[in-house]
Amino acid sequence: MAASALTPHGTAFPEEGRCGYFVEKKKRFCRMVVAAGKRFCGEHAGASEEENARKRILCPLDPKHTVYEDQLAKHLKKCNSREKPKPDFFIQDINAGLKDETEIPDQLVPISSLSEEQLENLIKKLRKASEGLNCTLKDQIMSHPALHDALNDPKNGDSAAKHLKQQVDGKHRKKNSVFERLQIDIQHLCLNLALRCLVETYAASCEERNEEPLAKRIKNDKTEKEINTLAKEGNEKNIPEKWTPVAGIVIALCCHHRCDWRHYVGKEYFRALGLGAVDFHYFQRMSSWATCGMRKTSLEASNISTKRRDKQNDGSEEHDDGGYTITDDSPESLPGFLTVEEKKKIGHLCKLLIDQGRIKYLQQKGFSPALQYYIDPLVSLENVLLTALPNHSSSPETSA
């Protein structure tokens, strides 16, 4: 590891209880928690003199993180990248869309390799396609009562308070409520089967408590057998016009730079604007400009070469970058005809345009969607929420 990473100039000390390794690319200390008595986190432990005797190697399951060689066998049993048993509601690529390999060239030139004229043309396309879009979203920032005591606890510092604000799951459970967290990539999630599993699990729990299942009280005239059949088969033709299988949709939007044209539901929207797969590819890459921690001074920009040299050492910290290097889409590697603020605005426009395609898709499916801010940007720059409620006046035939 680079010596400069240990003794940066003109920087503050690391936060208490946090790693003492300085990440050149981000111009700050690593924020990972360290073990008691340690100076560095596990990922950067090689920087510590007392840890040098132990060798760290790349994890064979996922080379984006490292592990002590003498603990490899133990690590492989609990690594998050290990292959896990597939749940009943897993169906390979059920939501992936059709793969059209003819739409996207085999090799696309990285943004950093585009000429200034090519980049300017892309930005012109983006701005023209974004004309008329509402760039001002409503603030719908709420806080659940379950978090109030913890948020107001004086013992919690800024980092702990930020972490609590980001927590959602499990904080709103009430008696007789049905809440299930499905840990699965949406790409492979069959909601019909997931609903059936949820109904069966809930019915079993009610039987243990000698209670009447909620489904029997709200199903109107549907029998439990019919509900399960609908969940299993997804037979929309048998669904009454007033019966809505989806009560609502809530999606916290994030990581637009990881979007894929094949998976994207807004293809028709893009095509109507005269845009295609290649434009989408560059827009999703440029979307990272909105949140990637851009440098604000020419002095910091001059350190790009140092950051690239240290990429191998610090590239695995905290967030997945999708396997792209700093030369792909980072603002520092692009022509200097755009200011930092202009690049941020372009990044937000890319996100907005991609999200607008999702809005149009949901409208076609009979929903009333909306975008809003759900958390303060000081907590997370990825702070946009997509919600949608069904239009009860729309039947499946007219909205499909």
Side-chain angles (χ1 to χ4, degrees), residues 249-268:
I249 299 172
V250 180
I251 301 177
L253 302 173
C254 180
C255 303
H256 293 69
H257 65 283
R258 297 302 306 274
C259 294
D260 188 281
W261 178 252
R262 177 191 175 189
H263 305 161
Y264 184 53
V265 296
K267 295 187 186 74
E268 291 184 15

Side-chain angles (χ1 to χ4, degrees), residues 22-28 295 307 317-319:
F22 188 77
V23 185
E24 281 288 349
K25 185 182 74 169
K26 299 185 178 182
K27 285 295 178 184
R28 61 167 174 76
R295 312 298 178 239
K307 297 170 196 169
E317 189 220 3
E318 297 185 34
H319 291 288

Side-chain angles (χ1 to χ4, degrees), residues 19-20 30 32-35 39-46 56 68:
C19 179
C30 169
M32 299 297 288
V33 177
V34 297
R39 182 184 172 193
F40 299 98
C41 67
E43 192 64 34
H44 299 126
R56 292 188 71 86
Y68 283 118

Side-chain angles (χ1 to χ4, degrees), residues 42 45-46 51 54-57 66-72:
E51 297 282 359
R54 301 179 68 190
K55 181 181 178 182
R56 292 188 71 86
I57 60 174
T66 61
V67 61
Y68 283 118
E69 188 175 31
D70 56 8
Q71 291 186 341
L72 178 60

Side-chain angles (χ1 to χ4, degrees), residues 90-248:
F90 178 98
I91 297 183
Q92 184 73 33
D93 291 334
I94 187 172
N95 301 313
L98 299 176
K99 188 173 182 179
D100 188 350
E101 297 180 350
T102 63
E103 284 198 80
I104 303 180
D106 291 335
Q107 291 187 346
L108 287 168
V109 177
I111 292 179
S112 56
S113 298
L114 295 176
S115 67
E116 188 170 312
E117 181 181 0
Q118 288 174 315
L119 190 57
E120 284 180 330
N121 288 335
L122 269 176
I123 294 172
K124 286 179 182 178
K125 276 187 176 183
L126 172 67
R127 286 174 171 156
K128 182 178 179 181
S130 304
E131 288 178 356
L133 295 184
N134 181 21
C135 298
T136 305
L137 307 182
K138 290 184 179 180
D139 286 329
Q140 299 284 4
I141 300 175
M142 297 179 287
S143 178
H144 195 276
L147 294 174
H148 288 176
D149 291 342
L151 288 174
N152 296 322
D153 189 341
K155 296 180 181 179
N156 291 327
D158 293 340
S159 297
K162 178 179 177 180
H163 175 69
L164 287 169
K165 290 177 181 178
Q166 292 173 331
Q167 287 184 326
V168 177
D169 296 339
K171 298 298 183 182
H172 57 281
R173 301 190 185 195
K174 298 179 181 178
K175 185 179 180 181
N176 297 325
S177 65
V178 183
F179 180 82
E180 186 76 20
R181 184 180 184 185
L182 307 181
Q183 293 182 296
I184 183 176
D185 192 321
I186 298 175
Q187 178 178 342
H188 313 300
L189 171 62
C190 177
L191 276 176
N192 290 331
L193 292 178
L195 176 59
R196 184 187 180 209
C197 293
L198 181 61
V199 170
E200 291 176 349
T201 301
Y202 180 67
S205 66
C206 287
E207 186 176 344
E208 290 179 1
R209 298 193 303 269
N210 197 25
E211 295 178 0
E212 185 180 41
L214 180 65
K216 290 186 177 181
R217 302 197 295 270
I218 65 172
K219 66 188 177 182
N220 295 326
D221 294 329
K222 285 287 174 186
T223 67
E224 189 172 347
K225 181 178 179 180
E226 288 174 303
I227 294 290
N228 286 338
T229 300
L230 289 174
K232 181 178 180 181
E233 299 177 358
N235 190 352
E236 293 187 358
K237 293 182 180 179
N238 295 329
I239 298 176
E241 185 174 347
K242 294 183 179 179
W243 191 80
T244 306
V246 179

Side-chain angles (χ1 to χ4, degrees), residues 26 61 66 76 91 120 236 294 314 326 381 387:
K26 299 185 178 182
L61 299 178
T66 61
L76 292 178
I91 297 183
E120 284 180 330
E236 293 187 358
M294 292 170 286
D314 58 42
I326 195 170
L381 292 174
T387 60

